[in-house]
Amino acid sequence: MNETKRAVAKRAPAKLTARGVALAALMHGGFAAEDLDRELRAASLGPTDRGFATELAYGTLKMRRALIWSVSRHLSRPFESLDERLKWVILLGAYQLLYLDRVPAHSAVDEAVTLARAGGHPGIAGFANAVLRKVAADKARPPVPTPADGAVALGIYASLPDWIAAQLIARFGFDDALRAADGMNGAPRRAFRIDGSPVERERLMEVVVGAVDLHGRPPRPSQANDTSRSSPDGLNENRYQIPECLVVVGAANETLREAIASGRVVRQSEESQLAVHLLDPKPGEVVLDACCGRGVKTSMIASRLAGEGTVWALDDDEQKLSALRDTVQRKEWKNVRVLRADARETYPTEVPTQVDAALVDAPCSGLGVLGRRPDARWRKREHDPARFARVQAAILRTAAQRVRPGGRLQYVTCTTPAEEDEAIVDAFLGENAEWSAADLPLTASSGVRKIGKYALTVPGIDGADGFFYALLHNSKM
């Protein structure tokens, strides 16, 4: 290397590796997907390294409590007393040693030491090296708990706050709570929605299916009438028989990414799609989406209406509504009305007084989607379910007042505590005799709990999210 190149190399900042990107994202404190995306864009990693960085960041954050248990066995002082960078360097290295089979131990330790050394403190690298070599030697992870061990042991093993572990046990019993917790720490299923007419949908689905065929087999569309098979070519059939739904197990390739970027394919979990599928909006109907957020379900309703009828989409978050307006403009939907409104209170006068169907996707504690949001379990608070329950009851009452006699309302949450789910609906039905619950015809082979006529999907079981569904009918004449 000549002197000029040496000078350039000396001035240029070191390019971040996948581990460096993961560490940078974790060092942001609260951590959000946006933090990781920003670091990934700045580092310009290839697809493989991007995937590795994402796995490291998400996995380390999810397993933080269990990792601290393992690391603390080799510390002479409390883990929390360590330097902030050193904490994440050690946890990042420990995650690779304890939860990833494909990373050689020497690589995990050496790379962690390099990251520690880059922090600038002379003693950090040696400390990280000593601790991680001990972790690599004993490989100790929190033991699998038994029912007699209770919520604290489950919380340590599955890296959950005690109160969330207790919620899972109270809701599902210990054995299923353990399965759910294990599942939430694994990879969630990746589902997509393909809009359009049945012919258009089938054509695009074949393109996407062909694009993700990892073994060179002929393109094969998802079979909506078969929920039992798991395909070896990177696809799974959707388990709730939703026509628009495609589940992809293999890595997304360029064709699928292009279809997502174009808006023809939308990321949306099976359980999220199921909320609209159960509401069953039909062409010509007027439908209210009382808490539309960014409008993922709104767009599915609009697609089902096929240009006939109207969707009224309400939310009190202008930033989310802006995202929905962009979608409406891009899709050139003329029958989607987007309004800012607090769903607990009187709606704007433009909203029809009588709609055919309403979706109440109520704000909730979000305990059913912890597997998709690695930081969420550390942000949630024990009083959240009670706090959201008050909001949910008000939103349900207000939305129901806009449903015509003979109309229907789908109440849904992405959480599991009874006080946010059946307790809200039971109280509403007890106060409103003209409303009744319909028996939900869910036939999934696993992971669905029937609660009277309602349904609850169990988070983590077969990669599912935990959603509650209640379909209500207004029988007033």
Side-chain angles (χ1 to χ4, degrees), residues 31-340:
F31 185 84
E34 291 78 10
D35 295 328
L36 179 60
D37 288 344
R38 184 171 56 251
E39 296 298 335
L40 287 170
R41 286 194 299 271
S44 300
L45 299 177
T48 301
D49 281 340
R50 286 176 64 89
F52 186 43
T54 301
E55 181 174 7
L56 290 178
Y58 277 47
T60 301
L61 194 60
K62 277 185 178 180
M63 301 311 298
R64 188 179 75 182
R65 187 179 185 188
L67 291 169
I68 290 174
W69 181 93
S70 298
V71 167
S72 295
R73 293 160 54 87
H74 309 293
L75 298 177
S76 59
R77 55 185 169 123
F79 177 83
E80 293 303 327
S81 68
L82 300 179
D83 171 88
E84 189 65 19
R85 180 184 179 89
L86 180 57
K87 286 180 190 174
W88 285 116
V89 166
I90 290 176
L91 295 183
L92 196 60
Y95 176 72
Q96 297 167 67
L97 293 170
L98 299 175
Y99 291 95
L100 295 184
D101 294 333
R102 67 179 185 276
V103 178
H106 66 82
S107 177
V109 174
D110 291 349
E111 292 295 330
V113 170
T114 299
L115 291 174
R117 186 177 294 118
H121 192 288
I124 282 181
F127 188 91
N129 182 53
V131 172
L132 288 175
R133 287 188 181 282
K134 292 175 182 176
V135 171
D138 77 358
K139 294 275 188 181
R141 289 165 37 172
V144 179
T146 67
D149 294 327
V152 175
L154 177 61
I156 295 172
Y157 162 77
S159 195
L160 293 168
D162 291 345
W163 72 272
I164 293 181
Q167 281 274 5
L168 290 175
I169 294 172
R171 190 59 153 161
F172 303 114
F174 188 88
D175 290 342
D176 276 354
L178 182 59
R179 291 179 62 205
D182 275 335
M184 288 190 291
N185 289 331
R189 281 161 67 97
R190 293 192 309 140
F192 300 87
R193 192 187 78 236
I194 301 178
D195 291 335
S197 69
V199 173
E200 294 168 336
R201 194 165 58 228
E202 190 70 12
R203 185 183 303 121
L204 181 55
M205 195 171 283
E206 287 188 3
V207 171
V208 173
V209 169
V212 297
D213 189 331
L214 305 179
H215 304 280
R217 297 185 178 89
R220 185 172 62 82
S222 175
Q223 301 296 311
N225 60 351
D226 182 353
T227 61
S228 62
R229 293 181 299 153
S230 177
S231 165
D233 63 2
L235 300 173
N236 265 347
E237 286 75 27
N238 76 83
R239 59 187 135 198
Y240 306 118
Q241 303 180 26
I242 303 170
E244 303 97 322
C245 184
L246 176 69
V247 177
V248 175
V249 178
N253 70 10
E254 193 57 36
T255 301
L256 179 55
R257 285 194 287 271
E258 287 176 359
I260 295 169
S262 71
R264 294 184 299 165
V265 173
V266 179
R267 285 191 184 90
Q268 186 178 6
S269 76
E270 292 168 282
E271 286 71 32
S272 172
Q273 294 186 49
L274 182 58
V276 176
H277 184 62
L278 291 172
L279 182 66
D280 192 22
K282 298 177 178 65
E285 289 190 325
V286 178
V287 182
L288 169 68
D289 187 353
C291 309
C292 67
R294 297 181 183 277
V296 175
K297 296 182 184 70
T298 306
S299 63
M300 185 173 177
I301 294 170
S303 177
R304 288 248 178 153
L305 294 186
E308 302 177 26
T310 307
V311 189
W312 290 86
L314 312 181
D315 205 279
D316 62 355
D317 188 322
E318 186 55 43
Q319 189 172 358
K320 291 178 180 177
L321 291 178
S322 177
L324 173 55
R325 290 189 181 99
D326 289 344
T327 300
V328 170
Q329 186 173 13
R330 187 173 65 253
K331 298 269 190 178
E332 299 183 342
W333 282 326
K334 306 299 183 187
N335 62 336
V336 179
R337 307 285 185 266
V338 182
L339 292 176
R340 185 173 185 178

Side-chain angles (χ1 to χ4, degrees), residues 364-398:
C364 64
S365 57
L367 301 190
V369 290
L370 296 180
R372 296 187 185 277
R373 301 171 184 172
D375 56 321
R377 67 186 68 187
W378 311 120
R379 291 190 290 102
K380 304 296 181 185
R381 295 294 177 262
E382 191 169 2
H383 65 267
D384 283 349
R387 179 168 63 87
F388 280 110
R390 293 188 289 273
V391 175
Q392 291 153 354
I395 291 174
L396 178 55
R397 282 194 301 270
T398 305

